Amino acid sequence: DQSLEKALTEASRRGEFAMCRQLKSLSEKLQIQKTVASYEVFAKTCSETSEQLRSIVGEINVAGLVYTKSLVEAILAGCAVAKDADLAAETVTKVNLPRSDKDLCSALINVYGCCAQWDVAICLYEEVMVPASLKPDSAVADLLIQGANETGRTELVAALSELSVSDLVKHAKAIRSFGKDGDMQSALALFHSNKHSANSLLYNSILEACVQCQDLRMALQFLSDAKAQGFADTVSYNTVMKGQLAVGDNRAAHQMLEEMTQRGLHASL
């Protein structure tokens, strides 16, 4: 149903996963026919456990839907959350793509990393990505670094570390770009995929995306997180203040300014 798909896509784009779960429940009660796009959102947002994710995949199989690359990627994202490496391995065989597809390799390595199957992750990198000259992004590189340390493959750490730092800058720019385009879902996904190596640059980028999408509630949540992690700086506060002033919330902006002063930071609006 196109109405369901549209509502799911919008809720997912804004990072409203609770709404996605409510829509899933409603669609089941009303027996609404679901599209591939709807199942992509369900796999990403309604699969906290392996049982939930396998139920979604079961529905896809019963419906006889085609496993597109985007659907497989969504299921792999769910596998990482549910820590189901077996389902991930089964799923990649259902799409007609080369084994060396970078997106699928990266998604699989993420799953194996989340499942602490470091030997398998390193093997996939060395036997598939390296021969195909595929460069892992910073999030995957960080996972591989952890895997190399866990498995005693310290010779891989230096080269992977260089990839991690350079790509983090690119991802920060991409997060800002997604926010400018109103694509909060992609901004959030990219932020969370890099959160384990987060710094002030990454947090300021997601704050900018929140402000661009006029989601100040989420911006305040990220600012609170940045403060707790020690990453909140002048740019962080200025970004949120600009968002507050843009919607006419002068009182909140003034309170933010007072907090900055207390922390010894200076506004540059």
Side-chain angles (χ1 to χ4, degrees):
D1 182 88
Q2 292 185 346
S3 297
L4 173 65
E5 181 179 321
K6 183 177 180 180
L8 279 169
T9 300
E10 179 62 20
S12 180
R13 184 185 69 80
R14 295 188 60 82
E16 297 174 347
F17 295 167
M19 175 60 72
C20 292
R21 290 190 285 271
Q22 291 175 10
L23 288 169
K24 182 177 184 297
S25 178
L26 180 63
S27 69
E28 291 170 349
K29 290 180 180 178
L30 299 179
Q31 297 184 329
I32 298 174
Q33 186 174 2
K34 305 170 190 68
T35 63
V36 169
S38 295
Y39 279 115
E40 288 176 10
V41 176
F42 290 155
K44 292 177 182 178
T45 63
C46 306
S47 54
E48 295 180 351
T49 67
S50 178
E51 182 179 4
Q52 291 172 332
L53 181 58
R54 285 179 175 269
S55 176
I56 292 170
V57 172
E59 290 182 27
I60 294 171
N61 293 334
V62 170
L65 297 175
V66 176
Y67 276 80
T68 61
K69 178 180 176 179
S70 59
L71 178 58
V72 170
E73 288 180 307
I75 294 173
L76 292 181
C79 288
V81 174
K83 293 181 172 55
D84 194 333
D86 290 337
L87 179 59
E90 295 170 14
T91 302
V92 294
T93 64
K94 296 181 179 180
V95 63
N96 186 26
L97 285 171
R99 187 165 177 246
S100 59
D101 182 89
K102 180 179 178 179
D103 296 327
L104 294 186
C105 283
S106 298
L108 262 180
I109 288 175
N110 183 47
V111 174
Y112 292 133
C114 290
C115 296
Q117 294 186 14
W118 301 117
D119 285 325
V120 183
I122 294 294
C123 181
L124 181 58
Y125 170 65
E126 291 188 311
E127 295 187 4
V128 179
M129 296 191 75
V130 173
S133 299
L134 299 178
K135 176 184 174 183
D137 61 24
S138 62
V140 174
D142 282 342
L143 275 176
L144 290 169
I145 289 171
Q146 184 177 353
N149 285 320
E150 291 285 346
T151 57
R153 297 291 308 279
T154 53
E155 74 278 6
L156 291 175
V157 175
L160 289 168
S161 295
E162 292 181 6
L163 295 175
S164 177
V165 174
S166 63
D167 277 351
L168 192 62
V169 175
K170 296 178 184 177
H171 287 173
K173 292 180 180 179
I175 289 171
R176 292 175 186 268
S177 180
F178 284 134
K180 187 176 181 180
D181 293 338
D183 188 356
M184 198 62 207
Q185 178 189 5
S186 296
L188 286 170
L190 191 52
F191 173 84
H192 286 300
S193 70
N194 288 275
K195 191 174 181 180
H196 50 283
S197 56
N199 56 13
S200 295
L201 175 63
L202 201 69
Y203 268 101
N204 290 339
S205 297
I206 194 63
L207 286 171
E208 179 69 27
C210 290
V211 171
Q212 290 281 358
C213 293
Q214 298 184 339
D215 194 334
L216 292 182
R217 177 185 60 80
M218 188 176 295
L220 289 171
Q221 290 176 350
F222 277 114
L223 179 60
S224 177
D225 191 12
K227 288 189 289 186
Q229 299 295 326
F231 295 134
D233 57 16
T234 300
V235 176
S236 310
Y237 282 94
N238 283 338
T239 300
V240 176
M241 282 173 53
K242 287 178 182 178
Q244 292 169 330
L245 291 172
V247 297
D249 195 347
N250 296 337
R251 181 177 180 181
H254 183 69
Q255 292 175 337
M256 190 69 65
L257 181 60
E258 289 183 343
E259 183 178 334
M260 286 185 71
T261 303
Q262 292 173 359
R263 287 174 173 261
L265 301 173
H266 302 285
S268 58
L269 297 177

